[in-house]
PDB file of all heavy atoms in Angstrom:
ATOM      1  N   ASP A  43      15.663 -17.285  32.644  1.00 98.00           N
ATOM      2  CA  ASP A  43      16.862 -18.046  32.997  1.00 98.00           C
ATOM      3  C   ASP A  43      17.509 -17.565  34.299  1.00 98.00           C
ATOM      4  O   ASP A  43      18.643 -17.935  34.615  1.00 98.00           O
ATOM      5  CB  ASP A  43      17.888 -18.030  31.850  1.00 98.00           C
ATOM      6  CG  ASP A  43      18.290 -16.622  31.436  1.00 98.00           C
ATOM      7  OD1 ASP A  43      17.860 -15.654  32.099  1.00 98.00           O
ATOM      8  OD2 ASP A  43      19.026 -16.499  30.435  1.00 98.00           O
ATOM      9  N   ASP A 309      15.753   3.927   7.235  1.00 98.00           N
ATOM     10  CA  ASP A 309      15.725   2.737   8.076  1.00 98.00           C
ATOM     11  C   ASP A 309      14.309   2.168   8.208  1.00 98.00           C
ATOM     12  O   ASP A 309      14.032   1.400   9.122  1.00 98.00           O
ATOM     13  CB  ASP A 309      16.319   3.037   9.463  1.00 98.00           C
ATOM     14  CG  ASP A 309      15.676   4.243  10.129  1.00 98.00           C
ATOM     15  OD1 ASP A 309      14.707   4.801   9.573  1.00 98.00           O
ATOM     16  OD2 ASP A 309      16.145   4.634  11.217  1.00 98.00           O
ATOM     17  N   GLY A 381      18.895   7.577  22.711  1.00 74.00           N
ATOM     18  CA  GLY A 381      17.835   8.467  23.197  1.00 74.00           C
ATOM     19  C   GLY A 381      17.325   8.114  24.576  1.00 74.00           C
ATOM     20  O   GLY A 381      17.859   7.279  25.274  1.00 74.00           O
ATOM     21  N   GLY A 382      16.303   8.808  24.980  1.00 66.00           N
ATOM     22  CA  GLY A 382      15.568   8.413  26.170  1.00 66.00           C
ATOM     23  C   GLY A 382      16.285   8.550  27.493  1.00 66.00           C
ATOM     24  O   GLY A 382      15.652   8.731  28.516  1.00 66.00           O
ATOM     25  N   ASN A 383      17.600   8.461  27.469  1.00 75.00           N
ATOM     26  CA  ASN A 383      18.372   8.569  28.703  1.00 75.00           C
ATOM     27  C   ASN A 383      17.801   7.687  29.807  1.00 75.00           C
ATOM     28  O   ASN A 383      17.431   8.147  30.893  1.00 75.00           O
ATOM     29  CB  ASN A 383      18.445  10.028  29.168  1.00 75.00           C
ATOM     30  CG  ASN A 383      19.813  10.355  29.728  1.00 75.00           C
ATOM     31  OD1 ASN A 383      20.538   9.445  30.139  1.00 75.00           O
ATOM     32  ND2 ASN A 383      20.168  11.617  29.736  1.00 75.00           N
ATOM     33  N   GLU A 385      18.895   5.641  31.954  1.00 94.00           N
ATOM     34  CA  GLU A 385      19.441   5.518  33.310  1.00 94.00           C
ATOM     35  C   GLU A 385      18.806   6.540  34.244  1.00 94.00           C
ATOM     36  O   GLU A 385      18.500   6.228  35.404  1.00 94.00           O
ATOM     37  CB  GLU A 385      20.959   5.695  33.304  1.00 94.00           C
ATOM     38  CG  GLU A 385      21.544   5.468  34.693  1.00 94.00           C
ATOM     39  CD  GLU A 385      23.030   5.753  34.792  1.00 94.00           C
ATOM     40  OE1 GLU A 385      23.705   5.821  33.760  1.00 94.00           O
ATOM     41  OE2 GLU A 385      23.497   5.920  35.934  1.00 94.00           O
ATOM     42  N   LEU A 386      18.585   7.745  33.744  1.00 94.00           N
ATOM     43  CA  LEU A 386      17.940   8.763  34.564  1.00 94.00           C
ATOM     44  C   LEU A 386      16.509   8.353  34.901  1.00 94.00           C
ATOM     45  O   LEU A 386      16.039   8.512  36.025  1.00 94.00           O
ATOM     46  CB  LEU A 386      17.955  10.096  33.820  1.00 94.00           C
ATOM     47  CG  LEU A 386      17.372  11.301  34.549  1.00 94.00           C
ATOM     48  CD1 LEU A 386      18.140  11.613  35.808  1.00 94.00           C
ATOM     49  CD2 LEU A 386      17.358  12.512  33.621  1.00 94.00           C
ATOM     50  N   ASN A 389      16.757   5.186  37.282  1.00 97.00           N
ATOM     51  CA  ASN A 389      17.500   5.401  38.518  1.00 97.00           C
ATOM     52  C   ASN A 389      18.401   4.226  38.877  1.00 97.00           C
ATOM     53  O   ASN A 389      18.722   3.992  40.048  1.00 97.00           O
ATOM     54  CB  ASN A 389      16.545   5.722  39.684  1.00 97.00           C
ATOM     55  CG  ASN A 389      17.092   6.824  40.584  1.00 97.00           C
ATOM     56  OD1 ASN A 389      18.043   7.524  40.224  1.00 97.00           O
ATOM     57  ND2 ASN A 389      16.524   6.976  41.761  1.00 97.00           N
ATOM     58  N   LEU A 391      21.740   1.768  36.779  1.00 97.00           N
ATOM     59  CA  LEU A 391      22.555   1.657  35.574  1.00 97.00           C
ATOM     60  C   LEU A 391      21.823   0.840  34.509  1.00 97.00           C
ATOM     61  O   LEU A 391      21.133  -0.129  34.824  1.00 97.00           O
ATOM     62  CB  LEU A 391      23.885   0.970  35.888  1.00 97.00           C
ATOM     63  CG  LEU A 391      24.936   1.816  36.608  1.00 97.00           C
ATOM     64  CD1 LEU A 391      26.079   0.918  37.099  1.00 97.00           C
ATOM     65  CD2 LEU A 391      25.485   2.900  35.681  1.00 97.00           C
ATOM     66  N   ASN A 392      21.977   1.250  33.257  1.00 96.00           N
ATOM     67  CA  ASN A 392      21.430   0.455  32.164  1.00 96.00           C
ATOM     68  C   ASN A 392      22.258  -0.810  31.996  1.00 96.00           C
ATOM     69  O   ASN A 392      23.491  -0.749  31.956  1.00 96.00           O
ATOM     70  CB  ASN A 392      21.460   1.248  30.861  1.00 96.00           C
ATOM     71  CG  ASN A 392      20.211   2.096  30.674  1.00 96.00           C
ATOM     72  OD1 ASN A 392      19.272   2.019  31.468  1.00 96.00           O
ATOM     73  ND2 ASN A 392      20.208   2.896  29.631  1.00 96.00           N
ATOM     74  N   LEU A 394      22.963  -3.808  29.420  1.00 97.00           N
ATOM     75  CA  LEU A 394      22.774  -4.208  28.025  1.00 97.00           C
ATOM     76  C   LEU A 394      23.001  -5.706  27.888  1.00 97.00           C
ATOM     77  O   LEU A 394      23.952  -6.255  28.452  1.00 97.00           O
ATOM     78  CB  LEU A 394      23.733  -3.455  27.107  1.00 97.00           C
ATOM     79  CG  LEU A 394      23.680  -1.927  27.196  1.00 97.00           C
ATOM     80  CD1 LEU A 394      24.643  -1.313  26.185  1.00 97.00           C
ATOM     81  CD2 LEU A 394      22.269  -1.412  26.968  1.00 97.00           C
ATOM     82  N   ASN A 402      22.034  -2.391  18.387  1.00 97.00           N
ATOM     83  CA  ASN A 402      22.792  -1.142  18.322  1.00 97.00           C
ATOM     84  C   ASN A 402      23.605  -1.060  17.041  1.00 97.00           C
ATOM     85  O   ASN A 402      23.781   0.016  16.473  1.00 97.00           O
ATOM     86  CB  ASN A 402      23.709  -1.048  19.544  1.00 97.00           C
ATOM     87  CG  ASN A 402      24.521   0.232  19.565  1.00 97.00           C
ATOM     88  OD1 ASN A 402      23.988   1.307  19.342  1.00 97.00           O
ATOM     89  ND2 ASN A 402      25.812   0.115  19.810  1.00 97.00           N
ATOM     90  N   TRP A 405      20.931  -1.528  12.625  1.00 97.00           N
ATOM     91  CA  TRP A 405      19.707  -0.750  12.442  1.00 97.00           C
ATOM     92  C   TRP A 405      18.886  -1.241  11.259  1.00 97.00           C
ATOM     93  O   TRP A 405      17.722  -0.863  11.111  1.00 97.00           O
ATOM     94  CB  TRP A 405      20.043   0.734  12.307  1.00 97.00           C
ATOM     95  CG  TRP A 405      20.003   1.417  13.636  1.00 97.00           C
ATOM     96  CD1 TRP A 405      21.045   1.686  14.457  1.00 97.00           C
ATOM     97  CD2 TRP A 405      18.829   1.893  14.318  1.00 97.00           C
ATOM     98  NE1 TRP A 405      20.597   2.298  15.608  1.00 97.00           N
ATOM     99  CE2 TRP A 405      19.238   2.440  15.542  1.00 97.00           C
ATOM    100  CE3 TRP A 405      17.474   1.893  14.008  1.00 97.00           C
ATOM    101  CZ2 TRP A 405      18.346   2.991  16.456  1.00 97.00           C
ATOM    102  CZ3 TRP A 405      16.580   2.434  14.917  1.00 97.00           C
ATOM    103  CH2 TRP A 405      17.027   2.973  16.121  1.00 97.00           C
ATOM    104  N   ASN A 414      13.440   6.450  17.443  1.00 97.00           N
ATOM    105  CA  ASN A 414      13.355   7.422  16.363  1.00 97.00           C
ATOM    106  C   ASN A 414      14.058   6.864  15.137  1.00 97.00           C
ATOM    107  O   ASN A 414      15.005   6.079  15.242  1.00 97.00           O
ATOM    108  CB  ASN A 414      14.029   8.733  16.764  1.00 97.00           C
ATOM    109  CG  ASN A 414      13.292   9.422  17.898  1.00 97.00           C
ATOM    110  OD1 ASN A 414      12.066   9.432  17.934  1.00 97.00           O
ATOM    111  ND2 ASN A 414      14.030   9.987  18.818  1.00 97.00           N
ATOM    112  N   SER A 416      16.489   7.480  11.825  1.00 97.00           N
ATOM    113  CA  SER A 416      17.802   8.128  11.801  1.00 97.00           C
ATOM    114  C   SER A 416      17.670   9.639  11.642  1.00 97.00           C
ATOM    115  O   SER A 416      18.603  10.370  11.972  1.00 97.00           O
ATOM    116  CB  SER A 416      18.661   7.558  10.679  1.00 97.00           C
ATOM    117  OG  SER A 416      18.100   7.898   9.425  1.00 97.00           O
ATOM    118  N   TYR A 444      15.272  -3.501  38.760  1.00 97.00           N
ATOM    119  CA  TYR A 444      16.627  -3.711  39.271  1.00 97.00           C
ATOM    120  C   TYR A 444      16.836  -5.177  39.641  1.00 97.00           C
ATOM    121  O   TYR A 444      16.015  -5.770  40.353  1.00 97.00           O
ATOM    122  CB  TYR A 444      16.852  -2.839  40.496  1.00 97.00           C
ATOM    123  CG  TYR A 444      18.196  -3.047  41.148  1.00 97.00           C
ATOM    124  CD1 TYR A 444      19.361  -2.598  40.530  1.00 97.00           C
ATOM    125  CD2 TYR A 444      18.298  -3.701  42.368  1.00 97.00           C
ATOM    126  CE1 TYR A 444      20.599  -2.791  41.117  1.00 97.00           C
ATOM    127  CE2 TYR A 444      19.538  -3.895  42.967  1.00 97.00           C
ATOM    128  CZ  TYR A 444      20.687  -3.440  42.335  1.00 97.00           C
ATOM    129  OH  TYR A 444      21.908  -3.639  42.926  1.00 97.00           O
ATOM    130  N   ALA A 657       4.500   2.876  49.119  1.00 97.00           N
ATOM    131  CA  ALA A 657       5.949   2.926  49.381  1.00 97.00           C
ATOM    132  C   ALA A 657       6.788   2.745  48.123  1.00 97.00           C
ATOM    133  O   ALA A 657       7.844   2.115  48.150  1.00 97.00           O
ATOM    134  CB  ALA A 657       6.345   1.881  50.436  1.00 97.00           C
ATOM    135  N   HIS A 658       6.320   3.304  47.019  1.00 98.00           N
ATOM    136  CA  HIS A 658       7.140   3.257  45.802  1.00 98.00           C
ATOM    137  C   HIS A 658       8.309   4.239  45.930  1.00 98.00           C
ATOM    138  O   HIS A 658       8.216   5.245  46.637  1.00 98.00           O
ATOM    139  CB  HIS A 658       6.284   3.587  44.582  1.00 98.00           C
ATOM    140  CG  HIS A 658       5.295   2.514  44.249  1.00 98.00           C
ATOM    141  ND1 HIS A 658       5.663   1.347  43.623  1.00 98.00           N
ATOM    142  CD2 HIS A 658       3.966   2.402  44.496  1.00 98.00           C
ATOM    143  CE1 HIS A 658       4.595   0.577  43.475  1.00 98.00           C
ATOM    144  NE2 HIS A 658       3.545   1.182  43.999  1.00 98.00           N
ATOM    145  N   ASN A 660      11.254   7.013  44.713  1.00 92.00           N
ATOM    146  CA  ASN A 660      11.141   8.264  43.967  1.00 92.00           C
ATOM    147  C   ASN A 660      11.682   8.155  42.549  1.00 92.00           C
ATOM    148  O   ASN A 660      11.877   9.163  41.875  1.00 92.00           O
ATOM    149  CB  ASN A 660      11.779   9.434  44.718  1.00 92.00           C
ATOM    150  CG  ASN A 660      13.073   9.048  45.400  1.00 92.00           C
ATOM    151  OD1 ASN A 660      13.573   7.938  45.224  1.00 92.00           O
ATOM    152  ND2 ASN A 660      13.612   9.962  46.185  1.00 92.00           N
TER     153      ASN A 660
ATOM    154  N   MET B   1      13.829  14.157  27.416  1.00 65.00           N
ATOM    155  CA  MET B   1      14.250  13.714  28.749  1.00 65.00           C
ATOM    156  C   MET B   1      14.922  14.875  29.469  1.00 65.00           C
ATOM    157  O   MET B   1      15.626  15.671  28.871  1.00 65.00           O
ATOM    158  CB  MET B   1      15.191  12.506  28.608  1.00 65.00           C
ATOM    159  CG  MET B   1      15.674  11.929  29.920  1.00 65.00           C
ATOM    160  SD  MET B   1      14.389  11.527  31.111  1.00 65.00           S
ATOM    161  CE  MET B   1      13.772   9.999  30.420  1.00 65.00           C
ATOM    162  N   THR B   2      14.673  14.916  30.755  1.00 77.00           N
ATOM    163  CA  THR B   2      15.219  16.022  31.547  1.00 77.00           C
ATOM    164  C   THR B   2      16.720  15.858  31.761  1.00 77.00           C
ATOM    165  O   THR B   2      17.280  14.773  31.640  1.00 77.00           O
ATOM    166  CB  THR B   2      14.523  16.070  32.912  1.00 77.00           C
ATOM    167  OG1 THR B   2      14.549  14.760  33.476  1.00 77.00           O
ATOM    168  CG2 THR B   2      13.080  16.507  32.755  1.00 77.00           C
ATOM    169  N   HIS B  27      14.885   3.812  48.040  1.00 96.00           N
ATOM    170  CA  HIS B  27      14.468   5.132  48.474  1.00 96.00           C
ATOM    171  C   HIS B  27      15.696   5.976  48.811  1.00 96.00           C
ATOM    172  O   HIS B  27      16.539   5.546  49.591  1.00 96.00           O
ATOM    173  CB  HIS B  27      13.559   5.032  49.696  1.00 96.00           C
ATOM    174  CG  HIS B  27      12.230   4.422  49.378  1.00 96.00           C
ATOM    175  ND1 HIS B  27      12.004   3.060  49.406  1.00 96.00           N
ATOM    176  CD2 HIS B  27      11.067   4.983  48.987  1.00 96.00           C
ATOM    177  CE1 HIS B  27      10.743   2.820  49.066  1.00 96.00           C
ATOM    178  NE2 HIS B  27      10.157   3.960  48.809  1.00 96.00           N
ATOM    179  N   HIS B  28      15.768   7.146  48.222  1.00 97.00           N
ATOM    180  CA  HIS B  28      16.895   8.042  48.463  1.00 97.00           C
ATOM    181  C   HIS B  28      16.393   9.345  49.079  1.00 97.00           C
ATOM    182  O   HIS B  28      15.264   9.767  48.818  1.00 97.00           O
ATOM    183  CB  HIS B  28      17.604   8.394  47.151  1.00 97.00           C
ATOM    184  CG  HIS B  28      18.131   7.213  46.392  1.00 97.00           C
ATOM    185  ND1 HIS B  28      18.857   6.208  46.983  1.00 97.00           N
ATOM    186  CD2 HIS B  28      18.030   6.867  45.082  1.00 97.00           C
ATOM    187  CE1 HIS B  28      19.193   5.307  46.064  1.00 97.00           C
ATOM    188  NE2 HIS B  28      18.700   5.676  44.911  1.00 97.00           N
ATOM    189  N   GLN B  33      19.104  12.188  45.642  1.00 97.00           N
ATOM    190  CA  GLN B  33      18.442  12.091  44.332  1.00 97.00           C
ATOM    191  C   GLN B  33      18.881  13.234  43.422  1.00 97.00           C
ATOM    192  O   GLN B  33      19.066  13.035  42.219  1.00 97.00           O
ATOM    193  CB  GLN B  33      16.921  12.089  44.498  1.00 97.00           C
ATOM    194  CG  GLN B  33      16.178  11.725  43.211  1.00 97.00           C
ATOM    195  CD  GLN B  33      16.559  10.348  42.684  1.00 97.00           C
ATOM    196  OE1 GLN B  33      16.483   9.351  43.398  1.00 97.00           O
ATOM    197  NE2 GLN B  33      17.028  10.286  41.449  1.00 97.00           N
ATOM    198  N   ARG B  40      23.214  10.422  36.598  1.00 96.00           N
ATOM    199  CA  ARG B  40      22.527   9.479  35.713  1.00 96.00           C
ATOM    200  C   ARG B  40      21.979  10.159  34.463  1.00 96.00           C
ATOM    201  O   ARG B  40      21.643   9.496  33.491  1.00 96.00           O
ATOM    202  CB  ARG B  40      21.382   8.802  36.466  1.00 96.00           C
ATOM    203  CG  ARG B  40      21.833   7.950  37.666  1.00 96.00           C
ATOM    204  CD  ARG B  40      20.710   7.049  38.117  1.00 96.00           C
ATOM    205  NE  ARG B  40      20.966   6.320  39.347  1.00 96.00           N
ATOM    206  CZ  ARG B  40      21.722   5.227  39.459  1.00 96.00           C
ATOM    207  NH1 ARG B  40      22.355   4.767  38.389  1.00 96.00           N
ATOM    208  NH2 ARG B  40      21.858   4.603  40.610  1.00 96.00           N
ATOM    209  N   GLY B  41      21.894  11.493  34.518  1.00 94.00           N
ATOM    210  CA  GLY B  41      21.337  12.217  33.376  1.00 94.00           C
ATOM    211  C   GLY B  41      22.371  12.715  32.396  1.00 94.00           C
ATOM    212  O   GLY B  41      22.052  13.501  31.507  1.00 94.00           O
ATOM    213  N   LEU B  44      24.487  10.739  26.343  1.00 93.00           N
ATOM    214  CA  LEU B  44      24.799   9.349  25.980  1.00 93.00           C
ATOM    215  C   LEU B  44      26.269   9.163  25.594  1.00 93.00           C
ATOM    216  O   LEU B  44      26.816   8.079  25.771  1.00 93.00           O
ATOM    217  CB  LEU B  44      23.908   8.907  24.819  1.00 93.00           C
ATOM    218  CG  LEU B  44      22.413   8.818  25.152  1.00 93.00           C
ATOM    219  CD1 LEU B  44      21.624   8.389  23.912  1.00 93.00           C
ATOM    220  CD2 LEU B  44      22.170   7.833  26.289  1.00 93.00           C
ATOM    221  N   LYS B  47      28.621   7.646  28.249  1.00 96.00           N
ATOM    222  CA  LYS B  47      27.828   7.253  29.426  1.00 96.00           C
ATOM    223  C   LYS B  47      28.142   5.804  29.808  1.00 96.00           C
ATOM    224  O   LYS B  47      28.223   4.920  28.966  1.00 96.00           O
ATOM    225  CB  LYS B  47      26.346   7.384  29.082  1.00 96.00           C
ATOM    226  CG  LYS B  47      25.423   7.345  30.282  1.00 96.00           C
ATOM    227  CD  LYS B  47      23.977   7.480  29.816  1.00 96.00           C
ATOM    228  CE  LYS B  47      23.058   7.663  31.005  1.00 96.00           C
ATOM    229  NZ  LYS B  47      22.957   9.073  31.382  1.00 96.00           N
ATOM    230  N   LEU B  50      26.356  -1.181  31.785  1.00 98.00           N
ATOM    231  CA  LEU B  50      26.840  -2.518  32.081  1.00 98.00           C
ATOM    232  C   LEU B  50      26.477  -3.431  30.920  1.00 98.00           C
ATOM    233  O   LEU B  50      25.371  -3.359  30.385  1.00 98.00           O
ATOM    234  CB  LEU B  50      26.212  -3.054  33.368  1.00 98.00           C
ATOM    235  CG  LEU B  50      26.481  -2.223  34.621  1.00 98.00           C
ATOM    236  CD1 LEU B  50      25.731  -2.806  35.816  1.00 98.00           C
ATOM    237  CD2 LEU B  50      27.977  -2.160  34.913  1.00 98.00           C
ATOM    238  N   CYS B  52      26.017  -7.311  30.069  1.00 97.00           N
ATOM    239  CA  CYS B  52      25.878  -8.620  30.701  1.00 97.00           C
ATOM    240  C   CYS B  52      26.672  -9.658  29.902  1.00 97.00           C
ATOM    241  O   CYS B  52      26.485  -9.793  28.694  1.00 97.00           O
ATOM    242  CB  CYS B  52      24.394  -9.000  30.743  1.00 97.00           C
ATOM    243  SG  CYS B  52      24.102 -10.553  31.574  1.00 97.00           S
ATOM    244  N   HIS B  56      22.645 -12.924  34.645  1.00 97.00           N
ATOM    245  CA  HIS B  56      22.374 -12.866  36.090  1.00 97.00           C
ATOM    246  C   HIS B  56      23.617 -13.123  36.952  1.00 97.00           C
ATOM    247  O   HIS B  56      23.511 -13.241  38.165  1.00 97.00           O
ATOM    248  CB  HIS B  56      21.275 -13.866  36.491  1.00 97.00           C
ATOM    249  CG  HIS B  56      20.043 -13.746  35.648  1.00 97.00           C
ATOM    250  ND1 HIS B  56      19.125 -12.743  35.813  1.00 97.00           N
ATOM    251  CD2 HIS B  56      19.600 -14.491  34.600  1.00 97.00           C
ATOM    252  CE1 HIS B  56      18.149 -12.876  34.926  1.00 97.00           C
ATOM    253  NE2 HIS B  56      18.414 -13.931  34.177  1.00 97.00           N
ATOM    254  N   ARG B  57      24.786 -13.191  36.333  1.00 97.00           N
ATOM    255  CA  ARG B  57      25.990 -13.571  37.081  1.00 97.00           C
ATOM    256  C   ARG B  57      27.151 -12.594  36.926  1.00 97.00           C
ATOM    257  O   ARG B  57      27.904 -12.379  37.868  1.00 97.00           O
ATOM    258  CB  ARG B  57      26.469 -14.963  36.620  1.00 97.00           C
ATOM    259  CG  ARG B  57      25.554 -16.107  36.999  1.00 97.00           C
ATOM    260  CD  ARG B  57      25.685 -16.379  38.482  1.00 97.00           C
ATOM    261  NE  ARG B  57      24.985 -17.580  38.874  1.00 97.00           N
ATOM    262  CZ  ARG B  57      24.051 -17.638  39.819  1.00 97.00           C
ATOM    263  NH1 ARG B  57      23.665 -16.537  40.447  1.00 97.00           N
ATOM    264  NH2 ARG B  57      23.477 -18.766  40.136  1.00 97.00           N
ATOM    265  N   ARG B  68      24.839   6.801  16.828  1.00 95.00           N
ATOM    266  CA  ARG B  68      23.933   5.745  16.388  1.00 95.00           C
ATOM    267  C   ARG B  68      24.691   4.686  15.572  1.00 95.00           C
ATOM    268  O   ARG B  68      25.412   5.010  14.618  1.00 95.00           O
ATOM    269  CB  ARG B  68      22.848   6.384  15.520  1.00 95.00           C
ATOM    270  CG  ARG B  68      21.737   5.487  15.066  1.00 95.00           C
ATOM    271  CD  ARG B  68      20.798   6.366  14.246  1.00 95.00           C
ATOM    272  NE  ARG B  68      19.800   5.636  13.538  1.00 95.00           N
ATOM    273  CZ  ARG B  68      18.525   5.535  13.922  1.00 95.00           C
ATOM    274  NH1 ARG B  68      18.139   6.113  15.031  1.00 95.00           N
ATOM    275  NH2 ARG B  68      17.648   4.878  13.200  1.00 95.00           N
ATOM    276  N   GLY B  69      24.547   3.434  16.008  1.00 94.00           N
ATOM    277  CA  GLY B  69      25.139   2.328  15.267  1.00 94.00           C
ATOM    278  C   GLY B  69      26.568   2.003  15.646  1.00 94.00           C
ATOM    279  O   GLY B  69      27.113   0.977  15.232  1.00 94.00           O
ATOM    280  N   LYS B  70      27.210   2.858  16.441  1.00 96.00           N
ATOM    281  CA  LYS B  70      28.619   2.618  16.789  1.00 96.00           C
ATOM    282  C   LYS B  70      28.688   1.698  18.012  1.00 96.00           C
ATOM    283  O   LYS B  70      27.941   1.893  18.982  1.00 96.00           O
ATOM    284  CB  LYS B  70      29.312   3.948  17.084  1.00 96.00           C
ATOM    285  CG  LYS B  70      30.816   3.872  16.939  1.00 96.00           C
ATOM    286  CD  LYS B  70      31.421   5.257  17.000  1.00 96.00           C
ATOM    287  CE  LYS B  70      32.941   5.135  17.150  1.00 96.00           C
ATOM    288  NZ  LYS B  70      33.554   6.386  17.548  1.00 96.00           N
ATOM    289  N   GLU B  84      25.093  -4.163  42.813  1.00 98.00           N
ATOM    290  CA  GLU B  84      25.339  -3.084  43.785  1.00 98.00           C
ATOM    291  C   GLU B  84      26.779  -2.616  43.715  1.00 98.00           C
ATOM    292  O   GLU B  84      27.067  -1.418  43.785  1.00 98.00           O
ATOM    293  CB  GLU B  84      24.992  -3.545  45.202  1.00 98.00           C
ATOM    294  CG  GLU B  84      23.504  -3.587  45.469  1.00 98.00           C
ATOM    295  CD  GLU B  84      23.176  -3.491  46.952  1.00 98.00           C
ATOM    296  OE1 GLU B  84      24.095  -3.637  47.780  1.00 98.00           O
ATOM    297  OE2 GLU B  84      21.996  -3.281  47.262  1.00 98.00           O
ATOM    298  N   GLU B  87      27.077  -0.402  40.750  1.00 98.00           N
ATOM    299  CA  GLU B  87      26.523   0.937  40.993  1.00 98.00           C
ATOM    300  C   GLU B  87      27.518   1.793  41.790  1.00 98.00           C
ATOM    301  O   GLU B  87      27.734   2.971  41.472  1.00 98.00           O
ATOM    302  CB  GLU B  87      25.199   0.830  41.772  1.00 98.00           C
ATOM    303  CG  GLU B  87      24.043   0.217  40.982  1.00 98.00           C
ATOM    304  CD  GLU B  87      23.422   1.193  39.991  1.00 98.00           C
ATOM    305  OE1 GLU B  87      23.799   2.374  39.994  1.00 98.00           O
ATOM    306  OE2 GLU B  87      22.562   0.758  39.204  1.00 98.00           O
ATOM    307  N   ARG B  94      32.118   8.751  38.615  1.00 98.00           N
ATOM    308  CA  ARG B  94      31.436  10.012  38.304  1.00 98.00           C
ATOM    309  C   ARG B  94      31.748  11.083  39.348  1.00 98.00           C
ATOM    310  O   ARG B  94      31.853  12.269  39.020  1.00 98.00           O
ATOM    311  CB  ARG B  94      29.928   9.767  38.202  1.00 98.00           C
ATOM    312  CG  ARG B  94      29.556   8.989  36.923  1.00 98.00           C
ATOM    313  CD  ARG B  94      28.123   8.533  36.925  1.00 98.00           C
ATOM    314  NE  ARG B  94      27.718   8.056  35.600  1.00 98.00           N
ATOM    315  CZ  ARG B  94      26.624   7.350  35.381  1.00 98.00           C
ATOM    316  NH1 ARG B  94      25.817   7.025  36.384  1.00 98.00           N
ATOM    317  NH2 ARG B  94      26.320   6.949  34.164  1.00 98.00           N
TER     318      ARG B  94
END
Side-chain angles (χ1 to χ4, degrees):
Chain A
D43 57 6
D309 53 5
N383 219 338
E385 184 185 343
L386 182 62
N389 221 14
L391 284 168
N392 272 355
L394 305 182
N402 181 46
W405 268 97
N414 294 321
S416 66
Y444 177 71
H658 290 283
N660 40 7
Chain B
M1 181 52 77
T2 50
H27 291 88
H28 302 313
Q33 191 59 54
R40 297 195 187 282
L44 294 179
K47 194 180 189 87
L50 300 176
C52 183
H56 309 283
R57 292 286 188 236
R68 185 179 170 102
K70 202 170 168 194
E84 284 203 347
E87 291 283 354
R94 288 170 168 165

